[in-house]
Each structure stands twice: as structure tokens, then as C-alpha cells.
Amino acid sequence: MRTGRAGARWPRWVPPLIVFALVVAAWYAMSYLALAPERRFLLPPPDAVVRVGFFDSGNRAELLDGLLLSAQVALSGLTIAAVTGIVCGVAMAQASWLERSLNPYFVVLQTIPILALVPLFGFWFGFGFFTRVIVCVLISLFPIVANTLFGLRSVDESFHDLFTLQQSGRWSRLWKLQLPAALPHILTGLRISAGLSVIGAVVGDFFFRQGRPGIGTLIDLYRSRLQSEQLFAAVGLASLLGLAVFVVFGFVARRVTSWHTSARDSLP
């Protein structure tokens, strides 16, 4: 018990900060001790990454512009996937024949390597913003559909019996019982899909070499030019984008479903 009370005195951000400091220290050690100066471009030290990637105005503007485009693509795709997935999940929960008709295709969509189809989408629709959003929608759609359907179907039968005694209609049962009970599951699906949408936007950029470059395009460009400082800075920004999306959706989920047991002791 004493150990638990002592651990409770530590703020939640202290252990991750300690791990981050250890990672940075190991990074410096690898860069300066394990690599010869002529090979240090393989793992430039953190201060060189920050200095070249962010303190240089030209590089900083290029990186932030690419990050903005990738964020717009990811959020647009996630929004479309969220609306489509929730509507399809609700419709499938209300009509079993619709679930039997559509669910196999959503499963197939999950198993298809969407990124391998990016050249085909580019051939059909071009390599602009619209095609990038399509990729994010297809990658992030299934978790929202699956979690929405599972949440709507997992309501306790005793609550359904209570609504039956009150002679509640289908839409009243859906709005007052099923959707509130399914909300934690829906938000979990959104949280998963948010990360997938960022991955789709960044990795999909490797195939979009035309038009305005996203952060993934810049990563591939810096790799080909052996610009390691800019490469590490771009990878760091892409990681921060995914982390920011994860934290935001986690915060929203905790606030919206604070009444639910799944919100207790959840990750940030």
C-alpha cells in the first residue's frame, strides 16, 4: 500500500518524460560514440535536427506546409469516414438483412492493402487532394463501422425489456438507449480510425509525387537526397501529428463518456 501511495505522488507526465530523456541520451551516444564523423549523417544528433530542420526558415516553412496538407487530408478523410461509418453501423444494426449484405464488403475492405491501390486511384482520379482523401477514408472506415455496430448490439437485454414495457418505438429506443450505450464504442472506433487516417495521409504521400507535397512526400524526398537532418525533422513532425490526434480524441472520449467505466484510468 505504501508503494501505491508513493507512486501516486508522481504526476502522470513524469515517467514518459524520464523515458524521453533516456531516449535522447541514447540518441546522442549512438551519434557521437558509435558513429564516425563521416558516417554521422546516418543518425545526426538531436540538436542538428532541430537546428537544420526548424531554425532554418526555408526548411521550417517547407516542413510546416507539408504537415498542414497532410493534416487537412487526414482530418477530411476521418470526417467523411466517421459520418459514413456511423450511418452504416446504425443502419446495419436496425436491419439485419442490411448487415448481411454489407458486412462482408466492409471486411474485404479491411483486408485489402489500400496503399497498394493508390496508383490505381491516381490513374482514375488524378493525384490531387481528392484522391488522398479517398485513401484515408478507405483506411479508416472499418473500425468506425465495426465499433458502432458492436456498441449498438451490446446493450443489455434488461434495458431493452424496459423500453418494451414502455412501448417505445424503434427510433425512440435507438436515440434514448442504443446510441448513448454505444457512444464509448463509437469513440473508441474514432480514436483508432484517427490514427489510421494519419498513417494513410503520410504513407499515401509516398505515391503522390505530383502537386503540393505532403509530409510523407518530403520524407521520401529527403531520403533520396540524403538530407538526414530534414528527414528526421519530417519524421518527428509526422509522429507529433499522430500523437496530437491520439491525445485529442482521448481527451474528447474521456469528457463525453465520463459516466462510463471505460473512461476511468484511461490513457491520455
Side-chain angles (χ1 to χ4, degrees):
M1 298 297 294
R2 292 181 179 178
T3 303
R5 288 196 298 269
R9 298 193 189 104
W10 289 85
R12 295 183 63 178
W13 53 267
V14 171
L17 185 62
I18 294 175
V19 173
F20 177 75
L22 292 175
V23 170
V24 172
W27 185 351
Y28 270 111
M30 289 291 296
S31 182
Y32 282 107
L33 301 179
L35 294 175
E38 62 273 11
R39 293 177 56 84
R40 196 162 292 158
F41 71 94
L42 296 173
L43 187 65
D47 61 285
V49 173
V50 173
R51 183 179 66 256
V52 176
F54 301 110
F55 287 174
D56 183 280
S57 59
N59 292 334
R60 182 177 64 247
E62 185 177 54
L63 287 168
L64 293 180
D65 186 65
L67 180 68
L68 178 61
L69 176 61
S70 296
Q72 290 173 341
V73 170
L75 293 178
S76 299
L78 178 62
T79 301
I80 297 173
V83 174
T84 305
I86 293 174
V87 169
C88 289
V90 171
M92 291 163 62
Q94 296 300 304
S96 57
W97 66 269
L98 194 59
E99 179 186 0
R100 292 193 300 269
S101 301
L102 296 180
N103 195 53
Y105 295 100
F106 284 118
V107 174
V108 170
L109 182 65
Q110 177 68 9
T111 59
I112 293 177
I114 301 298
L115 293 175
L117 301 179
V118 170
L120 184 61
F121 294 148
F123 179 74
W124 287 340
F125 309 112
F127 291 92
F129 186 86
F130 176 73
T131 308
R132 301 183 186 200
V133 172
I134 290 178
V135 172
C136 291
V137 171
L138 294 178
I139 288 178
S140 57
L141 182 60
F142 179 79
I144 300 175
V145 176
N147 279 272
T148 300
L149 182 60
F150 176 78
L152 294 172
R153 290 285 175 83
S154 62
V155 180
D156 194 290
E157 284 297 326
S158 60
F159 293 110
H160 278 292
D161 294 339
L162 178 62
F163 272 71
T164 301
L165 289 175
Q166 297 294 327
Q167 298 181 345
S168 300
R170 170 178 293 187
W171 297 111
S172 176
R173 187 188 301 261
L174 172 66
W175 184 252
K176 296 181 179 180
L177 173 62
Q178 291 177 289
L179 281 177
L183 189 59
H185 301 282
I186 295 174
L187 290 173
T188 298
L190 286 172
R191 197 175 185 180
I192 296 171
S193 294
L196 292 176
S197 183
V198 172
I199 293 173
V202 174
V203 179
D205 274 344
F206 283 85
F207 300 90
F208 296 100
R209 300 180 182 276
Q210 303 176 15
R212 181 181 167 194
I215 194 69
T217 307
L218 294 177
I219 290 174
D220 193 45
L221 180 64
Y222 296 146
R223 176 199 58 81
S224 63
R225 295 177 178 175
L226 296 180
Q227 295 175 306
S228 55
E229 289 86 0
Q230 293 94 318
L231 174 61
F232 274 82
V235 170
L237 281 181
S239 302
L240 287 176
L241 175 60
L243 178 62
V245 169
F246 182 83
V247 170
V248 168
F249 274 87
F251 176 82
V252 172
R254 288 201 310 273
R255 292 299 178 269
V256 174
T257 61
S258 57
W259 50 271
H260 197 271
T261 54
S262 63
R264 299 173 187 171
D265 298 327
S266 59
L267 291 174

